[in-house]
Amino acid sequence: MAVFRSRTATAGEAKVAGERSLLLGIGISAIGIGMYIPFSLVFFHHVTGLSLTLVGLVMTVTGLAGLAFMPLAGSAVDRFGAKKVNLVLYGIRALGFALYPFASSLPAFAAVALVTALAERSFGVVQQSLIGEVARGAARDRLQASTRALQNAGMGAGALLVSGVLALWGTGGFTYTAWGNSLAFALAGLLVSRVRPLREAAAGSARRAAAGYRMVLRDRPFLGLTAANFLTALGYSALSVLFPLYLSTWLAAPDSLTGAAFTVNTVLCAGIGVLIAGRVRRSGARRTRAAALGALLFAAAFVAQIVLGTLRPGQTVTLVALLVIVVVYTLGELVHSPSGGALSVSAAPEAVRGRYLATYQLSYSLASALAPSLFTGLLTVDGRLPWAVLTVAALGAALALVRLERHLPAEAVHAEPPVAAAGSGAAPERWPAAVA
């Protein structure tokens, strides 16, 4: 049997046309997101003058409507191309935030919030599709890592920026922040307009396949990949939803540790995310196995939480242990995210990539929607129980990824085509056609 090895980064590592503009646009839009996400309820309350109850109700309803819109966004990508849809969504978000300060009545706020939510919820699908449209091979993994690092850095910078605005102008500064968000999204759209899709992708956008979501539902390996991602996505929700509750109720630790944990996570994601992803990519690891390794690191962090919750040591030991656990958790995130993202993009047939990625992104949205009720329900039984469930989920995801490896297209599993090892005398491994 021939021995194969993965090629080191060569052509797949080449810069894509307009890459700097794409990444700069992502970073600027992330600053806009960071300017309102941490304060969302308070932000819209002060911008519109409506009560917190009404703002919360509208945000919930429009958020659910945004989830329902995601399949339509996937279809739009397949019909018009990811770049065009991406620019439309940037334009809608820019217009929405420009109008928020004038939406002082409930109907006006609901209308603006609905249109903006449709664009917000669908943006991840379109951005992932755009990466597939402009890059091939290992360049997709690199863009995935760079995008995540810039999003974390941008959101952190946006949160700091709005804190400074509020310190200078008080809550009235939220209005200026809304217009700042509008400017950020408009500028990001202008930058992304300079990105040039690959020639074959641009040509393909003019003749998208007529196949609908039935094609996705017949693709069992991709559905398995989506299910595995749902299990991992529950773990992504742990830091923001479960961690603060676990600290305050089960460990009786100070709430300030939550802020410290978020800071460590954000700094590591922004600071070493690209470095970690580059090491994984240069190792020649298959994307399925790299993503599985990330899930295993998640599981290790969750098991450590169970041990910590059982021993319940003193505050000093708890602090050190929690920070170590957050570091392990973040490493899992940094290993899994680029490989998992590139795996989903590359496993999707080009002609219907939008529909495939809309289905895949629903696994994140569903996990985010279920996480609060699931975690709080388990936490009321035993503080360690949600971590045990997350451990089983992460291990199940890792096992599923490894087992799916032989059923997914080779161009999805490998960042670069496998080639015969020197001296083996074997012909290069052929890539099968994308799963239909």
Side-chain angles (χ1 to χ4, degrees):
M1 181 178 293
V3 178
F4 295 99
R5 60 179 173 83
S6 295
R7 290 194 308 201
T8 55
T10 53
E13 293 281 8
K15 297 285 185 181
V16 303
E19 179 174 336
R20 289 184 179 179
S21 295
L22 173 64
L23 293 177
L24 183 58
I26 290 171
I28 290 174
S29 66
I31 293 174
I33 294 170
M35 290 168 70
Y36 77 93
I37 284 291
F39 315 95
S40 53
L41 281 173
V42 178
F43 177 94
F44 291 115
H45 164 66
H46 285 289
V47 168
T48 64
L50 297 172
S51 69
L52 288 171
T53 303
L54 283 176
V55 169
L57 178 62
V58 170
M59 290 181 64
T60 299
V61 173
T62 56
L64 292 174
L67 290 180
F69 184 75
M70 287 172 63
L72 294 178
S75 299
V77 168
D78 293 335
R79 179 176 294 273
F80 303 109
K83 178 181 174 180
K84 292 180 181 178
V85 180
N86 185 281
L87 294 176
V88 170
L89 295 188
Y90 269 133
I92 291 173
R93 295 161 89 189
L95 179 62
F97 278 92
L99 292 177
Y100 269 128
F102 305 104
S104 56
S105 68
L106 179 59
F109 174 58
V112 175
L114 176 61
V115 175
T116 307
L118 299 183
E120 292 278 354
R121 291 287 186 174
S122 300
F123 191 79
V125 175
V126 179
Q127 183 167 279
Q128 289 289 91
S129 300
L130 182 60
I131 289 175
E133 201 171 89
V134 302
R136 289 286 184 270
R140 287 179 177 170
D141 303 69
R142 189 189 67 247
L143 281 179
Q144 293 280 354
S146 299
T147 295
R148 190 163 190 84
L150 283 170
Q151 286 173 334
N152 278 276
M155 289 181 67
L160 287 175
L161 180 60
V162 73
S163 297
V165 170
L166 296 179
L168 287 175
W169 289 292
T171 55
F174 278 122
T175 297
Y176 301 114
T177 302
W179 289 331
N181 288 339
S182 178
L183 180 62
F185 291 133
L187 182 56
L190 288 175
L191 287 166
V192 172
S193 68
R194 302 173 61 184
V195 176
R196 295 195 299 276
L198 294 173
R199 184 175 302 172
E200 54 268 35
S205 65
R207 55 176 192 277
R208 298 294 177 184
Y213 280 96
R214 286 179 297 179
M215 182 175 179
V216 185
L217 297 176
R218 289 197 301 265
D219 192 338
R220 292 185 178 180
F222 191 85
L223 293 180
L225 183 63
T226 302
N229 190 66
F230 169 76
L231 296 176
T232 312
L234 287 173
Y236 276 91
S237 300
L239 187 62
S240 59
V241 180
L242 176 58
F243 192 82
L245 295 174
Y246 177 71
L247 251 62
S248 60
T249 60
W250 188 258
L251 293 182
D255 292 334
S256 59
L257 282 182
T258 298
F262 275 96
T263 301
V264 170
N265 177 261
T266 301
V267 169
L268 288 178
C269 286
I272 65 171
V274 174
L275 175 64
I276 295 295
R279 290 292 297 271
V280 172
R281 192 168 64 249
R282 288 190 294 273
S283 73
R286 300 175 185 183
R287 287 168 174 154
T288 42
R289 299 186 184 185
L293 175 59
L296 290 177
L297 288 169
F298 270 1
F302 301 150
V303 169
Q305 290 282 29
I306 296 173
V307 173
L308 183 62
T310 301
L311 298 178
R312 296 188 182 183
Q315 282 202 2
T316 302
V317 176
T318 298
L319 171 61
V320 174
L322 284 172
L323 292 180
V324 171
I325 289 170
V326 170
V327 170
V328 175
Y329 172 90
T330 305
L331 288 176
E333 182 179 343
L334 296 180
V335 172
H336 175 272
S337 180
S339 299
L343 181 62
S344 65
V345 172
S346 302
E350 183 176 327
V352 284
R353 184 183 291 135
R355 290 176 173 90
Y356 267 67
L357 293 181
T359 303
Y360 185 82
Q361 289 293 321
L362 279 173
S363 62
Y364 279 114
S365 299
L366 183 59
S368 298
L370 292 177
S373 58
L374 175 65
F375 293 159
T376 53
L378 294 173
L379 197 64
T380 58
V381 178
D382 189 294
R384 296 162 293 185
L385 186 56
W387 298 113
V389 171
L390 286 174
T391 300
V392 173
L395 292 175
L399 177 62
L401 285 164
V402 173
R403 295 195 64 176
L404 283 167
E405 187 174 279
R406 59 181 179 176
H407 301 291
L408 293 168
E411 62 266 35
V413 173
H414 300 274
E416 292 294 337
V419 296
S424 66
E429 182 180 355
R430 295 184 64 187
W431 287 26
V435 177

